[in-house]
Amino acid sequence: MHTFVQELKKSMFAEGLDDNELEKLCSIAESKTFFKSEKIFDEKDKTSSLYFLVEGRIRIERKAFPKRHLFIPQIQIVKHGQIFGEMAFLDNVPRSAIARAAGSVRVIIFDSEKLHQLLTMDANLGYKVMGNIARIISRRLRRMNDHWLSAVGSDFVIPEFEYSN
Amino acid sequence: MHTFVQELKKSMFAEGLDDNELEKLCSIAESKTFFKSEKIFDEKDKTSSLYFLVEGRIRIERKAFPKRHLFIPQIQIVKHGQIFGEMAFLDNVPRSAIARAAGSVRVIIFDSEKLHQLLTMDANLGYKVMGNIARIISRRLRRMNDHWLSAVGSDFVIPEFEYSN
């Protein structure tokens, strides 16, 4: 059995996958270690690999807006057992944020092209994995909405915000 | 050809689907009209249908927090050609917000059970549709992050926000 199988097995990303499907997924994956403060990817990078965090913590950051911010806006913390980098993976657009190791971390990397190819060829696996990714992002969006609404006060009117799609 | 096919055809939700797949999708769908201010669903409703907006505009609202808000927080505007209600569809959890007709609207409704069944049985279709839903939500989350960061000033420190998954 591939050593990654056990690491992925209990995650939401691999929910519903049988051992055979997990093996397929792991056969295209690689593992890498990053040290504290190292960037896994940078804003505007044209890479689109999908990452699974095995150990440690990742900070998702944005570059400061010129003249508006002195601090580095931190959007999220990724904890072990979670995926990150899925926006560029799904849309093949440049990275929208920086992923930085908050300490020593180990990640499993799914090359974008190899993963898309695998999911297209094995549509059952593709359906399960895409469903899991959709559920993960949906929960993140739900939490972001909660976060937004609990952070803003009644003196802070929410501007009309349109779904672009 | 099913009348819904043309309405879905150019949407991001149906991207990459061939006519045969569109027909399958439409065969389980229904259409419904709502009038201004009518609720399509309410917060905490235990329904999980997926909606596609054909005509009009939908306001996604949250009930006011007791003692914190006097106004009704409006999270998003849904425009024609877009899906909504996907969170409950994906996760089978109660609705997290109210969907209200901003004027007269027409929607295509996909019953949750029927759609899940179709996507499981036809995994190629399932893979494409789940991929499209994941991409749609991913873009919404990306916009919500942008929105958040452009709304907060440098005097407003973003609290550590953890991905639950």
Side-chain angles (χ1 to χ4, degrees):
Chain A
M1 191 170 49
H2 204 291
T3 53
F4 299 163
V5 169
Q6 283 307 324
E7 295 172 333
L8 286 173
K9 207 165 190 171
K10 285 179 184 165
S11 71
M12 197 170 159
F13 172 62
E15 206 172 288
L17 271 58
D18 60 32
D19 285 351
N20 181 34
E21 289 169 327
L22 274 167
E23 288 283 350
K24 279 187 195 173
L25 209 54
C26 293
S27 72
I28 61 156
E30 284 174 40
S31 173
K32 201 170 169 186
T33 301
F34 292 88
F35 299 104
K36 188 178 160 90
S37 301
E38 259 193 287
K39 286 179 187 171
I40 290 91
F41 54 76
D42 201 348
E43 240 178 85
K44 295 183 180 146
D45 273 2
K46 283 172 183 161
T47 59
S48 48
S49 301
L50 179 70
Y51 294 85
F52 178 86
L53 183 57
V54 182
E55 279 171 41
R57 296 182 135 221
I58 300 283
R59 284 201 308 266
I60 305 294
E61 302 170 348
R62 283 284 184 90
K63 286 205 175 69
F65 291 99
K67 296 180 189 175
R68 288 205 57 185
H69 296 268
L70 294 172
F71 67 102
I72 297 169
Q74 175 177 301
I75 312 175
Q76 276 102 1
I77 293 285
V78 182
K79 290 188 293 189
H80 70 93
Q82 298 176 341
I83 57 166
F84 63 101
E86 74 290 340
M87 285 186 186
F89 168 72
L90 289 168
D91 252 344
N92 205 19
V93 289
R95 300 287 182 189
S96 65
I98 302 156
R100 191 190 298 276
S104 175
V105 305
R106 194 163 73 79
V107 297
I108 293 176
I109 309 171
F110 296 96
D111 174 77
S112 176
E113 208 176 316
K114 284 184 192 166
L115 184 54
H116 278 296
Q117 205 171 8
L118 173 66
L119 302 182
T120 308
M121 278 173 56
D122 186 338
N124 276 304
L125 177 60
Y127 169 56
K128 289 182 192 175
V129 168
M130 277 301 181
N132 289 342
I133 295 176
R135 260 180 294 279
I136 289 167
I137 313 175
S138 170
R139 290 187 191 180
R140 288 179 183 173
L141 182 57
R142 188 187 276 242
R143 286 199 58 168
M144 191 67 191
N145 286 341
D146 289 344
H147 196 56
W148 169 260
L149 289 173
S150 64
V152 299
S154 57
D155 55 336
F156 193 102
V157 176
I158 299 174
E160 188 164 302
F161 173 55
E162 295 190 357
Y163 276 165
S164 65
N165 220 310
Chain B
M1 191 170 48
H2 204 291
T3 52
F4 299 163
V5 169
Q6 284 307 324
E7 295 172 333
L8 286 175
K9 208 165 189 173
K10 284 180 184 166
S11 70
M12 198 171 159
F13 173 61
E15 207 172 288
L17 270 59
D18 60 33
D19 285 351
N20 182 35
E21 289 170 327
L22 275 165
E23 287 284 351
K24 280 188 194 173
L25 210 54
C26 292
S27 72
I28 61 155
E30 285 174 38
S31 174
K32 201 169 170 186
T33 300
F34 293 88
F35 299 104
K36 189 179 158 90
S37 300
E38 258 192 289
K39 286 179 186 172
I40 290 90
F41 54 76
D42 201 348
E43 239 180 84
K44 295 186 181 144
D45 273 2
K46 284 174 183 160
T47 60
S48 47
S49 301
L50 179 70
Y51 294 85
F52 178 87
L53 183 57
V54 182
E55 278 173 41
R57 294 182 136 221
I58 300 283
R59 282 201 307 267
I60 305 293
E61 302 169 349
R62 283 283 183 91
K63 286 205 174 70
F65 291 99
K67 298 181 189 175
R68 289 204 56 184
H69 297 268
L70 295 172
F71 68 101
I72 297 168
Q74 175 178 300
I75 313 175
Q76 276 102 2
I77 294 283
V78 182
K79 291 187 291 189
H80 70 94
Q82 299 177 340
I83 57 166
F84 63 101
E86 75 289 340
M87 285 186 186
F89 168 71
L90 289 169
D91 252 345
N92 205 19
V93 289
R95 300 288 182 189
S96 65
I98 302 156
R100 193 190 298 276
S104 174
V105 305
R106 194 164 71 79
V107 297
I108 293 176
I109 309 172
F110 296 96
D111 175 77
S112 175
E113 207 175 317
K114 284 183 192 165
L115 184 53
H116 278 296
Q117 205 171 9
L118 174 66
L119 301 183
T120 308
M121 277 173 57
D122 187 339
N124 275 305
L125 177 60
Y127 168 57
K128 288 182 192 174
V129 169
M130 277 300 180
N132 289 342
I133 295 176
R135 261 180 294 279
I136 290 167
I137 312 175
S138 170
R139 290 187 191 180
R140 288 179 183 173
L141 182 57
R142 190 188 273 244
R143 287 200 56 167
M144 191 67 192
N145 286 339
D146 289 343
H147 196 54
W148 169 260
L149 289 174
S150 64
V152 299
S154 58
D155 55 335
F156 193 102
V157 176
I158 299 174
E160 189 164 301
F161 174 55
E162 294 189 356
Y163 276 164
S164 67
N165 220 310

